[in-house]
Amino acid sequence: MSGVWPGSAFTRRDGELLVGGVGLRDLAERFGTPLHALDEEEVRRRCQAFRRAFPGADVAYAGKAFLCRAMAGWVAEEGLALDVCSAGELAVARAAGFPAGRILLHGNAKTPEDLHDALEYGVGRIVVDSFHEICRLATLRPASRLLVRVTPGVDGHTHAAMNTGVDGQKFGFPLSTGAAAEAVRRVLAQPGLTLGGLHCHLGSQITGAAAYEEAVRRMVALLAAVREEHGVTLDELDLGGGFGVAYRPGEPELDPETAGEAIGKTLRAACAEHRTPVPRLTIEPGRAIVARAGVTVYRVLGVKRGLVAVDGGMSDNPRPGLYGARYTARLVGRRTTCAEREVTVVGRHCEAGDVLARDVPLPADVRPGDLLAVPVTGAYHHAMASNYNLVRRPPVVGVGFGRARLLVRRETPEDLLLRDVG
Ligand SMILES: Cc1ncc(COP(=O)(O)O)c(C=O)c1O
Ligand SMILES: N[C@@H](CCCC[NH3+])C(=O)O
């Protein structure tokens, strides 16, 4: 199996693709299509890989990639912390009994509800993102440790919509203007606030370690400057998430081992250079934990002019439209000896841009009723799904150890009407 499918994926002689020991055709019959299958063992393996690659670090799963109670439970059992960025994500974490002290709250524009719920639950850390927020927190006097989110001015060389380490975008206090140092000053000046450390997040889908190394050098210089100016040694450096994954065979990705080694080495060298103690690292991988654990199964509804139309689309995967993301797809559930030809897999929505996978080789006899599987759909798919065209969001089915378990059920027409109260 190529590197884009879960490690457990296995094709049977009859063409059936098993994930987590469960056949995707069986899943489609049981739960309908489209559906997201989520391989529990793959999630756990990735959690373990990050913990191994970053020894001594706090690995916080970024729940924005995908969150439901079961996922929160797996992550907690694997010893990870959890990054949430809304009262909604926090509510799911709470419902799963995720330990409050291991939760970090993020957000450039936290609502009063976000802050209220986070303080009520007693989250361990809050990442502050603006001077106004520092003032607001000073009146709330949270027991949580604060991390100041710094914009280090480092280019993650990723899509502009997710390149958050550079100046001129909405997140963080820029290092270059002195705003980051000023934020540290203001937090330290408030007797009701506890500054725990510094945070930065370079962006998402970053495929090289160099940007992280540069960020480490800049962040350590700031830690040293804080020590010099205030006599305060901050003991936590949070480098955020962003570790990129391959969506199609052969694409580059940043594996945890490479990232861990490069970051650890640079951190030790930078701290030695600045004669400052090595802080505890925190990282916040989202995509790299859950992306490859997800496979989406669609049913083919029509074939014409090299286009294969399926029963999902931009409502379950907005990423091609938002970022020009490219995917692969394969026929599952039956065997064919037919030669392949390149087709484009399109969705069912009322837009010409509703394309799921461009120029993918599929057997020439693909026909209505067939099942297609699209890999690497565990992150930012269900999490970003919409009800466009009042299409109902697909279920998430947990697979693993030869069993399937419904984690999030498919929406019903009643669900759609529940909020229609006028
Ligand atoms: C603050 C923060 N941490 C972590 C993440 C997770 O990023 P990724 O899923 O790319 O690892 C994000 C999203 O980009 C983020 O904004
Ligand atoms: N949602 C995005 C990336 C942003 C990550 C969250 N800060 C994606 O699908 O790739």
Side-chain angles (χ1 to χ4, degrees):
M1 266 301 161
S2 85
V4 294
W5 298 90
S8 67
F10 165 75
T11 307
R12 226 167 39 196
R13 280 244 201 94
D14 62 357
E16 174 68 315
L17 180 65
L18 305 177
V19 175
V22 180
L24 296 184
R25 187 181 49 207
D26 290 347
L27 278 189
E29 274 159 21
R30 218 172 126 192
F31 299 101
T33 54
L35 72 83
H36 298 297
L38 189 68
D39 184 341
E40 175 181 346
E41 292 168 76
E42 181 74 19
V43 168
R44 290 185 185 273
R45 255 197 307 276
R46 300 293 290 176
C47 291
Q48 291 156 13
F50 270 100
R51 290 198 65 191
R52 261 197 319 275
F54 288 84
D58 192 15
V59 182
Y61 169 64
K64 65 202 78 187
F66 170 72
L67 199 62
C68 67
R69 285 180 303 166
M71 180 73 191
W74 301 340
V75 164
E77 283 165 17
E78 293 301 330
L80 272 61
L82 181 68
D83 140 7
V84 301
C85 65
S86 70
E89 288 180 1
L90 182 64
V92 173
R94 274 179 92 151
F98 204 96
R102 279 162 56 196
I103 296 180
L104 292 93
L105 177 69
H106 273 287
N108 70 301
K110 299 176 190 73
T111 65
E113 185 194 11
D114 295 338
L115 284 172
H116 170 271
D117 292 3
L119 298 197
E120 183 185 77
Y121 195 48
V123 303
R125 284 162 282 180
I126 298 177
V127 182
V128 292
D129 202 290
S130 71
F131 291 119
H132 287 120
E133 192 184 354
I134 295 174
C135 295
R136 203 175 313 148
L137 285 167
T139 63
L140 295 170
R141 302 174 81 87
S144 333
R145 281 157 60 96
L146 304 191
L147 305 182
V148 166
R149 179 162 177 166
V150 177
T151 310
V154 173
D155 189 344
H157 298 292
T158 184
H159 191 283
M162 29 176 137
N163 201 19
T164 50
V166 292
D167 290 353
Q169 47 74 51
K170 69 176 185 170
F171 294 101
F173 296 96
L175 188 60
S176 60
T177 61
E182 179 58 21
V184 168
R185 250 170 243 134
R186 294 199 195 175
V187 175
L188 287 175
Q190 291 295 337
L193 298 180
T194 308
L195 182 60
L198 301 179
H199 173 281
C200 69
H201 171 68
L202 303 179
S204 199
Q205 188 56 3
I206 296 171
T207 53
Y212 290 93
E213 295 175 80
E214 184 53 28
V216 166
R217 287 189 277 271
R218 294 184 188 199
M219 296 296 281
V220 168
L222 181 57
L223 284 174
V226 169
R227 198 165 134 92
E228 169 109 16
E229 182 182 339
H230 305 281
V232 171
T233 304
L234 299 176
D235 59 10
E236 180 174 358
L237 175 58
D238 185 336
L239 293 175
F243 310 95
V245 305
Y247 280 86
R248 293 181 300 166
E251 283 180 358
E253 66 180 7
L254 183 52
D255 62 274
E257 295 73 28
T258 308
E261 213 176 294
I263 289 172
K265 220 161 120 187
T266 309
L267 179 65
R268 288 187 294 277
C271 290
E273 188 189 323
H274 288 278
R275 294 203 176 82
T276 196
V278 179
R280 182 173 195 209
L281 262 190
T282 298
I283 53 163
E284 304 169 345
R287 187 191 312 270
I289 298 270
V290 73
R292 197 179 294 168
V295 174
T296 303
V297 185
Y298 299 100
R299 195 168 293 279
V300 175
L301 295 179
V303 180
K304 66 178 183 194
R305 299 193 308 271
L307 302 173
V308 174
V310 297
D311 55 359
M314 62 196 299
S315 58
D316 60 78
N317 184 5
R319 301 192 69 259
L322 284 174
Y323 317 117
R326 302 285 304 271
Y327 288 82
T328 185
R330 59 162 284 188
L331 177 71
V332 294
R334 79 172 166 91
R335 204 168 83 88
T336 172
T337 49
C338 218
E340 292 186 326
R341 63 174 178 146
E342 282 209 340
V343 297
T344 289
V345 179
V346 298
R348 59 178 293 207
H349 292 279
C350 301
E351 295 203 20
D354 179 23
V355 172
L356 285 168
R358 216 173 267 289
D359 307 328
V360 290
L362 284 180
D365 65 348
V366 162
R367 52 188 184 245
D370 276 343
L371 295 172
L372 296 187
V374 175
V376 206
T377 59
Y380 304 113
H381 282 241
H382 192 267
M384 297 207 298
S386 76
N387 289 125
Y388 183 38
N389 295 147
L390 290 185
V391 160
R392 293 168 286 138
R393 282 174 291 184
V396 181
V397 182
V399 293
F401 314 101
R403 282 200 303 272
R405 175 163 72 106
L406 188 60
L407 304 180
V408 181
R409 67 162 170 77
R410 185 183 306 285
E411 279 179 324
T412 62
E414 292 73 33
D415 287 329
L416 297 180
L417 283 164
L418 265 179
R419 294 168 56 243
D420 188 336
V421 295

